[in-house]
Amino acid sequence: MTTPPLVYLVAAERSGELLGADLIRSLRKARGDSIAFAGVGGAAMAAEGVPSAVDIDGLAIIGWIDGLLAWRRVKERVALTVADILERKPDVVVLIDSWGFMLRVAQGVRAADPSIKLIKYVGPQVFATRPGRAKTLAATVDHLLSIVSFDAPYYTEFGLPVTFVGNPTLERMPVGDGAAFRARHELPSDAELMLVLFGSRPSEIRRMYDVLVRALARVLAHRPALRLVIVLAEPVKDVVREKLAAETRLPDNLIIVEEAEKGDAFAAVDLALATSGTVITELATTGVPTVAAYRLGWITWALIRLLNVMKSPYTTLVNMASDSNLVLEHVQTRCTAGRLSASMEGLLEAPQRRLEIGQALRQATDDMRGEGRASDRAAEVVLQYLPDA
């Protein structure tokens, strides 16, 4: 009996494993059960029948200092992942996002068994910061699947094949039913709703929860009728629920929902306050005017400023792609309760401006989507590296 080709996927955080789950579905659609899968990931990939060979808890890391603090844990998980890949000897390994972790896995596999093909899915944002990573990646993997249309030249210069597939995040969000959401939660059709997303990484909750709550409390002091809709990201939902249960600065009538209701919640709200990340792109696809906030560790931030690492004036992908401040960004020193609340109140007081921003966000993400079918296009590339593809 012929052994089916094996695709091994590695994802170290929530946004990456969602891409992995999408890719698994597309590969199965193309080749049925004639492909075997294994990998490292979380609940979304496990739901597709690919349980994780390595625990990814604690690997969602942003910033140099957090990386140093987690170095022993990361090194251990890298070694376990490389060992599992070498034992299974897949035909192709797809390394999804998470630059530092995936680079170390790729280097470990390449050094031990150069015959295993390596595909990086989502490149580091070399158009915004640290362009030298393009050369490093080109020396390490066989192909890059890019989710943005304008970064290919950075990599092809060093001989790395690049395929722009588009961003599956732009296709993943269902058309939500805002009216149904309001009905389910007994909210009047004219109730003013603010969506709140605290983040999906434990480090984001530690850094962002308090400043976001203080900003919300300021807005509520002026607009007591405003209702808050809080969507809990799966990896941190228990931590956030616990914090909210003990919270005294916010009203008791919070609407707290899990990711299954995200699409309907997005369709129901007037505005969002969100920790910057993949969710900002999701909000943009549905035209939700958004105030985005982010804080790195202060030492990491100081190093970024000292070394002039950031090359783009923007931090969110939507703003980079549109070269405009459609998403109101508040990063590090500008991420204060006063600045955040002022941005929120400014938008709440300007319904016409919100409408215009929403339309511009939809247009920007339409332009970013490319030809669509991002996961199917990614699957087509992966299939090229499999026998009998």
Side-chain angles (χ1 to χ4, degrees):
M1 182 175 178
T2 304
T3 302
L6 175 62
V7 176
Y8 194 106
L9 301 97
V10 186
E13 56 185 313
R14 179 65 173 172
S15 59
E17 65 147 337
L18 290 172
L19 293 181
D22 288 340
L23 180 57
I24 292 165
R25 285 190 290 270
S26 288
L27 287 166
R28 285 192 176 129
K29 181 170 65 174
R31 292 280 293 270
D33 295 328
S34 66
I35 300 175
F37 296 95
V40 171
M45 285 171 51
E48 297 300 323
V50 185
S52 185
V54 175
D55 182 7
I56 67 168
D57 186 46
L59 294 182
I61 297 164
I62 293 289
W64 289 312
I65 301 306
D66 283 355
L68 287 173
L69 293 174
W71 171 244
R72 181 175 295 180
R73 178 170 67 250
V74 171
K75 185 178 179 181
E76 174 193 69
R77 309 289 171 80
V78 166
L80 290 171
T81 301
V82 170
D84 193 59
I85 291 170
L86 295 175
E87 180 180 350
R88 294 175 185 265
K89 199 172 173 57
D91 295 276
V92 64
V93 177
V94 182
L95 304 159
I96 308 171
D97 211 348
S98 303
W99 166 251
F101 185 84
M102 299 306 165
L103 177 65
R104 290 169 178 82
V105 171
Q107 290 172 335
V109 173
R110 175 68 25 111
D113 189 345
S115 71
I116 297 175
K117 297 301 182 182
L118 303 175
I119 296 176
K120 184 71 172 67
Y121 193 177
V122 185
Q125 293 183 354
V126 293
F127 49 84
T129 177
R130 303 182 75 175
R133 289 177 170 180
K135 184 177 182 179
T136 301
L137 187 64
T140 312
V141 303
D142 299 291
H143 206 113
L144 171 63
L145 302 176
S146 171
I147 65 170
V148 294
S149 61
F150 45 82
D151 67 349
Y154 292 90
Y155 299 98
T156 55
E157 176 186 356
F158 299 105
L160 179 63
V162 178
T163 301
F164 168 57
V165 299
N167 190 336
T169 300
L170 302 174
E171 304 169 39
R172 188 183 300 133
M173 285 302 298
V175 177
D177 190 334
F181 182 88
R182 287 175 179 258
R184 264 196 315 274
H185 296 281
E186 300 180 346
L187 296 164
S189 60
D190 60 350
E192 199 170 55
L193 299 186
M194 166 85 75
L195 183 70
V196 185
L197 300 118
F198 288 107
S200 62
R201 301 179 176 97
S203 62
E204 290 171 345
I205 304 306
R206 290 195 301 272
R207 292 196 182 109
M208 302 304 303
Y209 177 85
D210 185 66
V211 68
L212 297 191
V213 167
R214 286 190 285 113
L216 291 166
R218 285 178 177 237
V219 175
L220 288 164
H222 300 139
R223 307 177 82 90
L226 178 68
R227 296 293 302 275
L228 302 183
V229 177
I230 298 171
V231 176
L232 303 174
E234 181 68 26
V236 294
K237 64 180 183 181
D238 294 336
V239 173
V240 177
R241 278 193 186 277
E242 185 177 340
K243 283 182 170 291
L244 291 172
E247 186 56 66
T248 59
R249 296 167 290 181
L250 299 179
D252 295 332
N253 61 350
L254 301 174
I255 301 132
I256 303 173
V257 301
E258 298 195 13
E259 286 187 310
E261 282 196 83
K262 185 165 65 174
D264 287 351
F266 283 18
V269 300
D270 300 290
L271 181 69
L273 172 65
T275 293
S276 190
T278 301
V279 74
I280 301 298
T281 306
E282 293 178 337
L283 288 162
T285 66
T286 54
V288 180
T290 300
V291 177
Y294 209 81
R295 283 180 176 174
L296 291 165
W298 285 105
I299 297 176
T300 296
W301 177 252
L303 290 170
I304 287 173
R305 296 301 300 272
L306 178 66
L307 301 174
N308 193 30
V309 167
M310 286 299 298
K311 306 302 181 184
S312 170
Y314 307 112
T315 59
T316 60
L317 194 56
V318 174
N319 285 355
M320 289 179 190
S322 64
D323 193 25
S324 60
N325 201 35
L326 293 178
V327 176
L328 303 185
E329 299 180 356
H330 294 272
V331 179
Q332 211 67 19
T333 55
R334 294 185 58 83
C335 184
T336 65
R339 290 180 185 274
L340 291 170
S341 61
S343 288
M344 287 186 281
E345 291 190 67
L347 288 173
L348 287 168
E349 291 167 4
Q352 182 59 34
R353 184 183 174 208
R354 294 201 307 271
L355 179 63
E356 292 169 356
I357 289 173
Q359 292 171 340
L361 287 169
R362 290 190 188 94
Q363 181 60 57
T365 51
D366 281 347
D367 293 343
M368 292 167 63
R369 191 172 286 112
E371 298 180 15
R373 297 177 46 254
S375 293
D376 290 348
R377 289 159 64 82
E380 289 169 3
V381 175
V382 173
L383 290 172
Q384 294 172 16
Y385 287 86
L386 298 182
D388 301 320

